Amino acid sequence: MNAHANLLPLAFRRRLLWRSRLRRWAPIWALAAVAAACAGYWQHRLLDGRRAALARLEAQAAPLAALVDDNRRLRAQLDELAGRQSLLRLLEPRLRPVQLIGVVSHSARRGTPRVQVRRFELRPSQVAESAPGAGGANPPPRPQRPPVQLNLAGIARDDLAIAEFVTALRDFGVFRSVELRSSADAAAEGPPRPGMAPGTRAYTVECVFSGDEP
């Protein structure tokens, strides 16, 4: 039995142990690092290839996307034109838009010209037409045209001028109803325009054509 004593310091022996373990595991760690680098490089190349393929596909589909946008714009224009044509068909048996402009202009010039019309909008009315009462002796109701609404907006010198304008529209007998929807200080609606007198009023008027007018 051999008995010996290791007289080397404990710290020195620990360093020797760590060096031996490092020499043993260093090749394995190096191989793992190389494998990880190769995998990362391969993934990077794969991602670049997919990006290039996506760019080519987007370039090929660009004319199709432009065509889709053109179709959407044309559809919106067609819908707008169809709405205008339907509105004109509703107005044809009553008054043409040019005649309506004449009626509104004449009403605004009634008396002292103190009313300006800055918005002239025609659209189908949301007011429901009342149907005649059902009865055995009454003839069947004739088909009714949907009502049409004319919205006017602008400014006037004062409330009296607005009242005269509304009265003139009613006196023409063209509309089933003429209602003043709002009247407010024009300065509160926005910055004053050049030449606008103090106390100028901003108004909105709603005129409705009856659906059963000839």
Side-chain angles (χ1 to χ4, degrees):
M1 180 177 180
N2 296 327
H4 63 276
N6 192 349
L7 299 178
L8 294 174
L10 180 60
F12 182 74
R13 285 182 288 171
R14 287 178 177 175
R15 286 197 297 270
L16 290 178
L17 180 62
W18 278 108
R19 287 177 183 176
S20 63
R21 289 181 178 178
L22 182 61
R23 286 194 298 268
R24 185 183 307 168
W25 288 98
I28 299 176
W29 291 344
L31 289 176
V34 171
C38 292
Y41 178 75
W42 180 77
Q43 290 289 341
H44 180 70
R45 291 294 301 273
L46 182 62
L47 181 60
D48 287 343
R50 291 181 177 178
R51 286 177 177 173
L54 179 60
R56 289 193 300 269
L57 291 176
E58 288 179 348
Q60 294 175 0
L64 181 60
L67 182 61
V68 171
D69 293 339
D70 291 341
N71 287 338
R72 289 177 180 173
R73 184 171 61 255
L74 290 175
R75 182 179 294 275
Q77 293 177 358
L78 288 175
D79 292 340
E80 183 180 357
L81 290 175
R84 291 180 180 177
Q85 288 179 356
S86 62
L87 187 58
L88 289 176
R89 283 195 298 268
L90 293 176
L91 285 174
E92 186 175 0
R94 304 178 180 95
L95 286 177
R96 297 184 181 275
V98 176
Q99 295 172 316
L100 284 177
I101 294 175
V103 170
V104 174
S105 176
H106 184 80
S107 300
R109 293 198 309 268
R110 183 175 180 179
T112 304
R114 295 177 298 174
V115 176
Q116 293 183 13
V117 180
R118 294 184 173 178
R119 183 166 62 88
F120 186 99
E121 179 185 10
L122 283 169
R123 62 183 179 87
S125 176
Q126 303 298 326
V127 179
E129 291 287 335
S130 58
N138 293 333
R142 62 175 179 175
Q144 294 182 345
R145 303 186 185 95
V148 179
Q149 182 173 311
L150 171 63
N151 294 327
L152 303 173
I155 59 174
R157 181 175 299 178
D158 48 31
D159 288 330
L160 179 60
I162 298 175
E164 292 178 352
F165 178 54
V166 172
T167 302
L169 290 172
R170 289 173 179 167
D171 291 344
F172 262 98
V174 174
F175 307 105
R176 187 190 69 178
S177 64
V178 179
E179 300 293 338
L180 177 63
R181 290 304 180 184
S182 66
S183 175
D185 188 2
E189 301 292 331
R193 299 188 179 184
M196 182 180 295
T200 302
R201 307 291 294 177
Y203 69 88
T204 56
V205 176
E206 180 183 287
C207 309
V208 177
F209 294 91
S210 180
D212 56 355
E213 289 180 355

